[in-house]
Amino acid sequence: MSRVVFLKERCKGCLLCTQVCPKGIIALSGEMNQQGYKIVEVAPGKMEQCTGCASCAMICPDTVITVYKTVKPGQPVKPGEPGEEVARVNG
Amino acid sequence: MTEKIAFERPKPLADRATHYCPGCSHGIVHRLVAETLQDMDLVENTIAVSAIGCSVFLYNYIMVDTVEAPHGRAPAVATGVKRARPDRFVFTYQGDGDLASIGMAEIMHCANRGERVSVVFVNNTIYGMTGGQMAPTTLVGQKTTTCPSGRCRDSEGMPIRMAEIIASLGGTAYASRVAVDTIKHLNQAKKALRKAFEVQVNGLGFGFVEFLATCPTNWKMSSIDANKRIAEEMIPYFPLGDFKDVTTGKGVC
């Protein structure tokens, strides 16, 4: 399952990521961080829809988002790809 | 199930919060610069020259050696740095108030001499740091604190199109204009930035990329509306694309 991880303390709540997500799963959370900004989240239960396209991370001005993309079985991470050394097995 | 990291913070970009307002395009351009330096394996070999404006704290965010230049003089400082250390990769990072106004003489002559430096030019049509005054690139009709009823063509003239001016100068190897409002434009922006860096590495001449960027605070808009303004108002006046590219012969006389 592809997924995105938000670094909550860096988010400034500009909402640009909500506009570019092709699945529309990112939304304002109602939570506030220590900087005092209302931050975004992936709506509960909607993370399965994430395709790992990284559009949200590319438009984020504060590099809040890290994107993990699923590698299909039988499709090993190619040598030299950025994710090679971190490919791992989920429990 | 295995997974790989599809996107993470590029290593030359400092792991700290920026002072930029929410939705400010500077963060996106910083990341593109950091990614391109990392991809081209230039990080250890780079000297950046930062300018005056919101981007003044560039040295806090991109972890390369940086010289702080006086207002508008970044291309002149970069000329000195490059001539003293021709083995280093040198780029300047300037806003439109810095490059297109007070620094007009320096950028024109730096490009005309064909200095082997690259310029990252962030055009948000306003002076951001000082509180939203009119810049040479402010669009006609745009309201700022120094033209509260909107820029008037009769008294203030038309906005300056920098990428076209730089492309017309003899020493320029690459001049392009890109935007950072959509994913498609971001991909184009990264390619253009890489090309502007490559012409310096290959010793072909001066590289210039203009980024159409937002300033939600001084435009008095939400981040989302500001992002839409790039496509609705800026791109029609500031067309995107390459204006000169010596590697393909485009715009070369």
Side-chain angles (χ1 to χ4, degrees):
Chain A
M1 185 183 82
S2 297
R3 63 198 173 96
V4 291
V5 176
F6 296 96
L7 193 59
K8 288 182 181 177
E9 281 312 313
R10 294 283 165 77
C11 181
K12 291 175 181 165
C14 70
L15 303 181
L16 292 181
C17 51
T18 63
Q19 303 295 300
V20 297
C21 178
K23 299 287 179 186
I25 58 175
I26 306 175
L28 202 61
S29 67
E31 205 180 321
M32 210 177 256
N33 66 11
Q34 280 189 354
Q35 293 190 79
Y37 293 117
K38 286 181 178 171
I39 61 173
V40 294
E41 64 171 7
V42 172
K46 289 196 173 168
M47 192 66 94
E48 294 91 70
Q49 296 177 35
C50 178
T51 60
C53 69
S55 295
C56 53
M58 284 175 72
I59 201 103
C60 178
D62 297 283
T63 43
V64 167
I65 307 168
T66 305
V67 183
Y68 298 88
K69 191 175 175 69
T70 306
V71 181
K72 285 178 192 156
Q75 189 193 49
V77 181
K78 287 175 200 145
E81 272 197 1
E84 187 203 4
E85 69 275 20
V86 291
R88 61 189 177 85
V89 176
N90 267 354
Chain B
M1 200 186 289
T2 56
E3 60 183 17
K4 64 173 183 178
I5 293 183
F7 186 96
E8 63 179 341
R9 180 179 53 80
K11 290 189 175 65
L13 202 62
D15 188 11
R16 60 164 59 143
T18 65
H19 72 285
Y20 300 120
C21 307
C24 174
S25 301
H26 268 303
I28 304 176
V29 182
H30 278 20
R31 180 183 60 75
L32 289 172
V33 170
E35 272 182 0
T36 309
L37 290 175
Q38 182 174 268
D39 292 350
M40 293 176 71
D41 204 16
L42 289 169
V43 181
E44 295 298 318
N45 212 24
T46 297
I47 301 174
V49 182
S50 74
I52 303 298
C54 285
S55 60
V56 69
F57 295 122
L58 181 79
Y59 48 78
N60 282 338
Y61 306 132
I62 300 182
M63 295 289 100
V64 296
D65 294 332
T66 307
V67 185
E68 181 60 58
H71 200 358
R73 273 63 188 175
V77 174
T79 300
V81 171
K82 186 68 180 182
R83 290 192 177 193
R85 298 297 301 269
D87 56 320
R88 298 288 155 149
F89 177 81
V90 181
F91 77 90
T92 74
Y93 187 109
Q94 302 174 264
D96 55 320
D98 184 86
L99 183 142
S101 177
I102 190 167
M104 189 57 127
E106 281 74 17
I107 189 68
M108 296 282 276
H109 288 285
C110 187
N112 198 45
R113 290 192 304 268
E115 298 293 343
R116 269 59 171 171
V117 299
S118 306
V119 172
V120 177
F121 170 44
V122 179
N123 175 5
N124 57 13
T125 74
I126 206 160
Y127 278 79
M129 184 197 224
T130 49
Q133 290 82 6
M134 185 179 69
T137 45
T138 296
L139 295 173
V140 170
Q142 184 183 340
K143 290 176 183 170
T144 70
T145 53
T146 46
C147 53
S149 51
R151 180 176 182 153
C152 169
R153 182 183 176 166
D154 282 346
S155 52
E156 283 99 34
M158 295 293 282
I160 294 180
R161 295 185 178 107
M162 280 311 295
E164 285 90 330
I165 292 174
I166 298 297
S168 70
L169 298 171
T172 306
Y174 183 73
S176 180
R177 183 183 290 115
V178 295
V180 291
D181 60 332
T182 63
I183 301 300
K184 183 184 161 197
H185 288 157
L186 278 169
N187 288 328
Q188 289 168 351
K190 201 172 167 187
K191 278 184 196 149
L193 190 61
R194 189 175 174 116
K195 207 150 201 181
F197 284 7
E198 276 173 355
V199 292
Q200 179 190 160
V201 171
N202 298 333
L204 296 172
F206 182 85
F208 182 92
V209 187
E210 173 175 348
F211 290 84
L212 298 183
T214 61
C215 181
T217 302
N218 287 308
W219 292 358
K220 297 174 177 56
M221 288 177 171
S222 71
S223 313
I224 293 167
D225 289 344
N227 215 34
K228 284 180 184 152
R229 181 178 180 257
I230 290 186
E232 287 166 5
E233 293 180 34
M234 289 174 76
I235 292 177
Y237 187 81
F238 295 112
L240 304 182
D242 294 351
F243 298 100
K244 189 170 185 183
D245 186 353
V246 291
T247 58
T248 61
K250 185 174 183 184
V252 183
C253 55

